[in-house]
């Protein structure tokens, strides 16, 4: 595996480690002997051609799928199923249609038995943090797609899991909203001290938001390369897309993936 990470002492210890993970669906081999570390407190994007197993890997880490071989560890503990140390932000929002924004955001805490006054206070904090103050009593059908995605993100943050798994969370919104989400995500990564695992099809998005970009090969998927755009993380969010390093990395990734695009 070629990349920029190597044994770099500036890379934090791994919060999540996948070791020799394989996954078969019948005769279809989705993942083969895949290994990857996800540094603590940073955002790692999984990037690759459609069908290369990005979501499959995310679901294995979440404990929603069992690997055919290999194992995943979170903070040194093997993953044997879903757990409170991980939260999933779904592409399709997965909101409760009959519940208000406040109830949706507090729902994970409700399942954990947190008292109503405490869970609503926590939910209100994250509703503010994602820019939805004033919509606490609204219902999902009253919100735009971008607002529903913010509710899903607030719900994942509210349960205070150490690892947030995000499966193409911005794919269903318009370009302007997507760019705003990307900027907000950079602020969350800097302020929440959580480990983010982020699946995207967009090269530009991956380079913009990531501390680490893992490029996956087509099925059966392995890690082709890991890129760490170090200099971009020190830039103002408005300057990243104009930075020569950003443009160079985008071109480099496209050059490595273009032969796999039909």
């Amino acid at each position: 595996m070629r990349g920029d990470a190597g044994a770099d002492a500036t890379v934090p210890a791994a919060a999540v480690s996948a070791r020799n993970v394989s996954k078969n669906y019948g005769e279809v081999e989705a993942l083969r002997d895949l290994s990857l570390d996800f540094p603590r407190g940073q955002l790692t994007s999984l990037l690759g051609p459609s069908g290369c197993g990005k979501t499959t890997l995310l679901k294995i880490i979440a404990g929603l799928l069992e690997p055919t071989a290999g194992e995943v560890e979170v903070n040194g503990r093997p993953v044997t199923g879903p757990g409170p140390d991980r939260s999933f932000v779904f592409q399709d929002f997965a909101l409760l249609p009959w519940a208000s924004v406040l109830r949706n955001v507090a729902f994970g805490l409700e399942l954990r038995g947190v008292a109503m006054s405490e869970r609503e206070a926590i939910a209100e904090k994250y509703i503010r943090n994602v820019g939805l103050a004033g919509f606490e009593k609204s219902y999902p059908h009253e919100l735009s797609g971008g607002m529903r995605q913010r509710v899903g993100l607030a719900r994942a943050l509210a349960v205070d899991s150490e690892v947030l798994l995000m499966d193409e969370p911005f794919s269903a919104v318009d370009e302007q909203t997507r760019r705003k989400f990307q900027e907000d995500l950079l602020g969350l990564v800097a302020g929440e001290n959580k480990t983010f695992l982020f699946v995207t099809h967009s090269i530009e998005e991956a380079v913009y938001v990531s501390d680490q970009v893992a490029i996956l090969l087509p099925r059966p998927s392995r890690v082709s390369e890991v890129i760490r755009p170090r200099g971009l993380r020190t830039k103002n969010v408005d300057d990243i897309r104009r930075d020569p390093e950003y443009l160079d990395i985008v071109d480099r990734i496209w050059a490595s993936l273009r032969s796999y695009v039909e």
Side-chain angles (χ1 to χ4, degrees):
M1 180 178 68
R2 182 170 61 90
D4 298 330
D8 190 342
T10 65
V11 180
V16 179
S17 294
R19 289 286 172 264
N20 307 112
V21 171
S22 298
K23 178 63 180 178
N24 298 340
Y25 296 100
E27 297 183 357
V28 177
E29 192 177 10
L31 304 175
R32 178 191 291 171
D33 201 29
L34 185 151
S35 295
L36 182 63
D37 286 335
F38 299 83
R40 188 181 313 281
Q42 295 192 355
L43 188 148
T44 298
S45 286
L46 300 176
L47 184 66
S50 295
C52 74
K54 299 183 294 293
T55 296
T56 293
L57 178 58
L58 208 68
K59 288 182 176 180
I60 290 172
I61 294 169
L64 301 175
L65 288 176
E66 290 187 14
T68 304
E71 68 173 5
V72 172
E73 292 184 347
V74 175
N75 294 323
R77 298 185 296 272
V79 169
T80 58
D85 52 355
R86 286 152 286 146
S87 293
F88 209 112
V89 181
F90 293 91
Q91 181 179 350
D92 61 357
F93 317 130
L95 302 182
L96 306 171
W98 44 264
S100 67
V101 167
L102 183 63
R103 179 80 184 276
N104 264 289
V105 174
F107 187 66
L109 297 170
E110 182 178 348
L111 292 178
R112 294 184 183 183
V114 177
M116 180 180 292
S117 59
E118 182 181 355
R119 68 177 183 253
E120 289 190 349
I122 294 170
E124 287 170 353
K125 170 190 172 184
Y126 285 104
I127 289 169
R128 291 193 302 272
N129 285 0
V130 300
L132 286 178
F135 290 91
E136 291 84 356
K137 296 181 180 180
S138 299
Y139 289 84
H141 72 273
E142 299 174 316
L143 306 176
S144 68
M147 295 169 76
R148 290 196 295 274
Q149 188 61 77
R150 289 177 184 272
V151 177
L153 180 56
R155 181 176 58 192
L157 289 166
V159 295
D160 200 27
S161 298
E162 299 171 59
V163 178
L164 270 74
L165 304 109
M166 308 179 75
D167 185 15
E168 293 193 74
F170 308 150
S171 62
V173 300
D174 61 75
E175 180 62 22
Q176 294 83 4
T177 302
R178 186 169 188 153
R179 286 201 171 206
K180 182 62 169 65
F181 276 177
Q182 292 166 359
E183 293 179 3
D184 292 347
L185 181 59
L186 287 174
L188 287 172
V189 173
E192 289 290 331
N193 194 32
K194 299 180 185 300
T195 303
F196 291 76
L197 282 58
F198 188 86
V199 166
T200 180
H201 279 97
S202 169
I203 297 172
E204 290 81 2
E205 180 171 76
V207 178
Y208 183 77
V209 302
S210 301
D211 298 286
Q212 173 175 283
V213 181
I215 301 174
L216 273 58
L217 293 172
R219 203 171 54 226
S221 189
R222 293 87 65 211
V223 176
S224 167
E225 183 176 5
V226 174
I227 297 172
R228 295 185 61 80
R230 292 183 182 88
L232 299 183
R233 299 285 67 85
T234 64
K235 304 291 182 181
N236 183 283
V237 294
D238 296 325
D239 297 330
I240 293 174
R241 289 188 175 91
R242 295 189 294 270
D243 192 280
E245 182 185 3
Y246 169 84
L247 300 172
D248 288 347
I249 294 174
V250 168
D251 287 346
R252 171 182 167 186
I253 294 175
W254 170 237
S256 69
L257 291 176
R258 68 191 310 165
S259 62
Y260 304 120
V261 178
E262 297 179 357

